[in-house]
Structures are given as structure tokens and as C-alpha cells.
Amino acid sequence: MTLWSIGDLAKRTGLPVKVIRHWSDIGVVPPTERSATGYRRYDARALARLELARTLRDLGLGMAAIREVVDRERSLPEAAAIHADALEAQIRTLRLQQAVLRSAAQGTSFQGAEELAELTHLARLSAAERTAVVHEFVAEALGDLDVPTYRAGLLAATPDLPDQPTPEQLDAWLELAALVRTPQLREALARMAAYAAEHAPGEHDEREIEALRDLTDLWTQRVTAATDAGIMPDSPAADPVVAGIVEAWLPTQTRTDLKVDGDGEQARQRLLEQLEVAADAGVERYWQLLCVINGWPVRPSLAGPGQWLTTALRANPAPGARAAAITAMLDGADSEPAAMLAACERVLAEVELIVAGVPPTRFGDPTPCAGWDVRALIDHLVWENLLWTSLAEGAPRTDFAADHLGADHVAAFRLAAAATLTAFRRPGMLRQRYGDAPGWRLAEQVVIEMLVHGWDLARATGQPTDLAPEVAETVLPAVRAMYGALPRTPGGSFGPEQPAPAGATAADRLAAYLGRH
């Protein structure tokens, strides 16, 4: 029989001699025998016992549990199960601690020692206590308003953390607990409830609620389709989209105080009011957090589609209103077509130089156009040329969402601009009627688009923004007449007018009028 000393075991296992000696002293790996001089000796069975003890120790078991296993007082599966349960409790505690620390590090609602203690308290609440937090919040927000269905829906949707919540669910609960403490959320819920109590008080059955869910799905789908097709909400092209949504919305208003025969200014004003009351980021976040906590699917945000629809309702307050306003403006304006063509030629040439000055390495840079990087902005410049060329040729393009640049952005712009000028130079085109507009108005639109978005590109890439000063000065009155009545809202084509600095160029003043800083 082969016997080894403690030193031999240390070499074989990699464990320190002191550790093996300690484990031997406490009976985890007792010596097989002792030498004549009193030194400990260990056989192969002891070596196997030592290696098992090391493995269990690496897994985190305590020495008492390890001894029970190696002494066969408890089976390995039993010990593993006990330790796994203990680890699960430790992991849950660590997750709670991690969530508290993460919330304290990132949040703005909790600051300082008292707030940290409050976070820790909230993380440890029972299911009943979490429900009470929400119920108290709802009671304070709604008061005695006559909105039983709305109240019941809020009270029924309580935060139900699972026994083993994910880090995302813990974070969501702590964020929700902070959110319901804010006066802004209480005020928003109270405002929605008060509006409902004024216009549609009392109980509402499940069919009415389901009809509203279906309506929400319908209008978001139609708005998304319009957006994907490149339809701007403040254009006449948005009017049919609005009309279809109003038609679907009117049947849901039979129990309200709205009395109308169909689509019209009063109906659109009421729909706009409802959207504005419901459009609160805090309330939307409240429902999103509840979904995360409870493991429900999180609905996509309604913020973007809602901004589009509210802008479309403001720009098209009655059926045909925006189109009529444009017609009236067109009837009262005139221009020298040749001069407009010359302006178009000059602006396209200057924008081409700006495009040529952009290396592909700048494609990911931000621009003054929200949501567009440099590449997307150049793509839009190309698209505008392709679009107006197709309109001039009587075959409107619909590939708004396609990639119009390919591998060579300069060549793409140059080809599109050349096609635009070829279409506009066709004999008679500038005086040809396109609906209510003469052809030179199409050239004018290209001039405006190129000036504004050329300015955006120059600004984004550090190039001079003084584009075609005389042309910019000439078209500024037309821009004011054409776009002055449009809503300057987040969903619209332009932001609020900005002040132009002293000595600003004509292109800078044009950009400032259309919301650029």
C-alpha cells in the first residue's frame, strides 16, 4: 500500500500544507496512520477524500457540511440540494442589494442616506405591501371622481414580483415605487380621470374597453404605415389618414357628450383633446414598468405615433383645410419661372459641393435633423430630388424607405440632381399645372429643401452654411407664407422658430425660422 506525507498530498492536489493539516486536525481528512516518528501518512482513499473536500469547498459548502459528506453521514445529492437552496437565498439577497445600489447610482428620486434606507425597505416589501403602495397611490390620485371602470383597472394592475425576480423586474419595481411618489404622475392620472368623468362618467363594460384597445391598434398601425410611406403629418397627404382614424374613432364616442354627425372640425378637436390628455410620458412609463414586473408583454411606446397624429390633427383641423389653405396661397402668388429654375441650378450646385466634402467616415455623425445621422441626411437630399423629379414626370415615387445612396453618395446626389434639372428644363414644364400648382412651384420646393437640408449637412460636417445668399433671401417670404401656420410640435416638419444671431446670413435666418439653432 502506497502512503503519502502531507507534503506529498500538497504536491498532488495543489493545496497548501497548512490547509491539509487543518483539515486533518478537524477530521475532514484524517491520516490513515502515523509513522514510527509520529508523522501523518495518507493512502489513496484519503487522497480521494481530500480531493472531494476541495471540490465541495470550491462550490462554497461549509466545513461542517463537507465533513458530513465525506463521512457519509449525508449523501452528496442531499448536501448539494441543501447548499443550492442556501445559495438561492443568498443570490436573492444579493440581487435585492444590487438593485438598490443600481437604483441609488442611477436614479434622481432617491438621494442621501435616508433615501437609500427607503430603497432598501421598498426592495424587501411583501406582495401585499407592494399592492398597498399602488392602491394608496391610486386612491390619492383619483379622489372621489366618478370613474369606476378606470379606478378598477388601476387597482387590478398591481405589481406582482415572482419568487425569483430577474434583475430587470427588481429594477422596475424600485423605479415604479419612486415614480408613484412623484406629484407629476398623480396629477397626470387625476387629469385623465377628471376628463373621463366630465365627458364619459360612470361604468364602462368590457366591450367598450376592448373597442378602445382595437382602436389604439388601428390608429397606431395606420400612422406607422403613413410614416413609413414618408407622409408628413402637417401635409395635406395626412388628411385622408386622419379622416380614416376619425371614422373608426367616432363609434367609441356614443356614450360621451360629443354630438356630431361625422368627421368635421368638432370631431377632430375632441379627438385631439383626448390624445393630448392621454399623452403623458410618466403614465406610459407606469404601465410599462407594471408589465416588466408582472412578466407581461410591454406594448410599444405610443409617443411617436401620438405626436404624428396630434400634429396631423392640428395641421388638418377640418377635412380639406390644409389643402384649401395651400390652394389659397398658390392663387395669390406668382414668380418668374426662369428665375426659379436658375435658383434651383445654383442651389443644387452648392449643395453638391457640400455633399462632396463629406467623407464616409462622417456618416455616423449627428445632424440638426432629429433622428438622422449624416448618411441619412444625404440620403434624404437624394430622395427629395428623386421625388420631385418623379412628380414633374407624372409618375410619383413611393420608395421613401429605400437606400438611395449605394456605395457612392456623391455620385448618387449628382445623378439625382441632374435628373431634377433635366425634368425642370423640359419645355413648358415650369408653367404646366400640377393640380393647383404651376410647375415652377415644384422647382421652388426643391430650392427650399436643398437650402434647408444643405444647411443641416454643412452645419453637421463643419462646412460654411452661407448657401446661395440671394436665393435664400428671395425664398424666405415664400417659406413664411407656406409654413407659417403649421404647428411647431415634436411630430411636425419644423421645430419652433429660433432667434437668428446678429449678422446672420440669409440661409442662417431661413434655418432659424424653420427651427434650427
Side-chain angles (χ1 to χ4, degrees):
M1 179 178 66
T2 303
L3 296 174
W4 296 286
S5 68
I6 287 181
D8 294 332
L9 292 181
K11 292 177 182 178
R12 283 179 168 269
T13 62
L15 287 169
V17 170
K18 288 184 178 180
V19 169
I20 298 174
R21 182 177 290 114
H22 173 63
W23 287 5
S24 184
D25 289 342
I26 62 176
V28 172
V29 188
T32 304
E33 63 179 51
R34 288 183 178 268
S35 67
T37 54
Y39 288 103
R40 304 180 218 203
R41 293 288 183 266
Y42 301 87
D43 61 9
R45 188 174 176 182
L47 175 61
R49 184 175 172 125
L50 177 62
E51 289 176 335
L52 175 59
R54 180 182 63 178
T55 299
L56 294 175
R57 186 60 173 167
D58 289 344
L59 289 172
L61 270 70
M63 295 311 299
I66 292 172
R67 181 165 181 178
E68 288 179 348
V69 174
V70 296
D71 286 344
R72 301 185 184 276
E73 294 175 7
R74 189 182 300 277
S75 70
L76 180 58
E78 288 177 329
I82 292 171
H83 188 59
D85 290 341
L87 281 177
E88 186 61 44
Q90 290 179 326
I91 290 170
R92 180 176 173 82
T93 299
L94 288 172
R95 282 176 177 164
L96 288 171
Q97 293 172 347
Q98 181 188 45
V100 169
L101 291 171
R102 187 187 295 115
S103 183
Q106 298 177 354
T108 57
S109 298
F110 294 93
Q111 297 176 354
E114 292 184 4
E115 288 77 6
L116 186 61
E118 177 65 12
L119 273 177
T120 305
H121 167 70
L122 291 170
R124 293 173 175 170
L125 291 182
S126 66
E129 290 169 329
R130 288 192 297 271
T131 297
V133 168
V134 172
H135 283 195
E136 180 182 348
F137 158 70
V138 172
E140 291 180 1
L142 302 191
D144 57 358
L145 289 169
D146 182 20
V147 285
T149 304
Y150 185 57
R151 186 189 305 273
L154 288 168
L155 293 176
T158 56
D160 185 18
L161 274 175
D163 291 337
Q164 297 182 13
T166 65
E168 292 76 16
Q169 288 174 311
L170 286 170
D171 290 344
W173 160 242
L174 291 177
E175 185 181 343
L176 181 71
L179 186 61
V180 298
R181 292 157 52 108
T182 62
Q184 293 85 355
L185 183 63
R186 286 192 180 88
E187 291 166 4
L189 278 182
R191 184 171 61 253
M192 293 179 188
Y195 188 90
E198 177 183 357
H199 297 287
E203 295 276 0
H204 295 271
D205 61 33
E206 185 59 33
R207 288 178 301 174
E208 294 175 273
I209 297 171
E210 188 63 31
L212 289 173
R213 292 195 193 102
D214 292 343
L215 175 68
T216 301
D217 290 338
L218 180 143
W219 74 256
T220 53
Q221 289 168 5
R222 293 191 180 181
V223 166
T224 300
T227 303
D228 291 344
I231 297 175
M232 294 305 297
D234 45 17
S235 70
D239 198 8
V241 181
V242 171
I245 292 172
V246 171
E247 181 182 6
W249 165 79
L250 281 171
T252 68
Q253 303 301 300
T254 55
R255 288 193 54 194
T256 72
D257 58 353
L258 178 65
K259 307 301 178 186
V260 295
D261 294 330
D263 187 10
E265 186 172 359
Q266 187 179 355
R268 294 190 180 198
Q269 179 59 36
R270 176 59 65 86
L271 176 55
L272 177 60
E273 284 178 5
Q274 291 181 5
L275 289 169
E276 288 177 333
V277 169
D280 185 89
V283 173
E284 183 174 64
R285 185 59 180 160
Y286 174 85
W287 287 108
Q288 290 172 341
L289 291 170
L290 276 175
C291 289
V292 173
I293 293 167
N294 293 330
W296 302 335
V298 180
R299 290 180 66 101
S301 174
L302 296 178
Q307 288 175 353
W308 191 100
L309 184 52
T310 53
T311 299
L313 286 163
R314 292 189 185 100
N316 298 273
R322 178 63 185 152
I326 291 175
T327 298
M329 182 199 67
L330 294 175
D331 288 343
D334 198 5
S335 176
E336 175 54 49
M340 190 57 68
L341 178 58
C344 188
E345 292 170 342
R346 177 174 177 184
V347 172
L348 284 171
E350 294 199 15
V351 173
E352 181 182 322
L353 292 176
I354 296 173
V355 172
V358 180
T361 54
R362 301 294 300 273
F363 279 179
D365 291 356
T367 72
C369 302
W372 287 354
D373 59 16
V374 165
R375 191 184 192 282
L377 178 55
I378 299 175
D379 186 272
H380 183 74
L381 285 165
V382 173
W383 160 252
E384 287 291 342
N385 278 281
L386 297 174
L387 173 64
W388 291 103
T389 298
S390 69
L391 291 171
E393 294 173 344
R397 296 178 66 126
T398 59
D399 57 337
F400 169 76
D403 179 10
H404 305 102
L405 294 189
D408 189 338
H409 62 292
V410 180
F413 182 85
R414 187 174 293 131
L415 287 171
T420 297
L421 294 177
T422 298
F424 290 173
R425 287 166 180 160
R426 177 172 54 81
M429 179 271 164
L430 295 176
R431 292 199 179 276
Q432 179 181 335
R433 302 299 294 187
Y434 293 85
D436 295 323
W440 65 263
R441 282 289 192 180
L442 276 64
E444 181 182 60
Q445 279 300 121
V446 172
V447 169
I448 294 170
E449 289 287 342
M450 293 301 107
L451 279 173
V452 175
H453 290 305
W455 185 95
D456 291 332
L457 183 61
R459 182 78 169 178
T461 56
Q463 300 184 62
T465 58
D466 188 15
L467 282 78
E470 296 84 1
V471 177
E473 195 73 59
T474 300
V475 300
L476 186 52
V479 169
R480 292 182 181 276
M482 193 177 305
Y483 303 125
L486 291 185
R488 301 297 186 98
T489 55
S493 298
F494 311 110
E497 180 179 359
Q498 302 298 316
T505 66
D508 288 340
R509 285 185 280 114
L510 175 64
Y513 178 71
L514 295 179
R516 273 66 171 174
H517 290 275

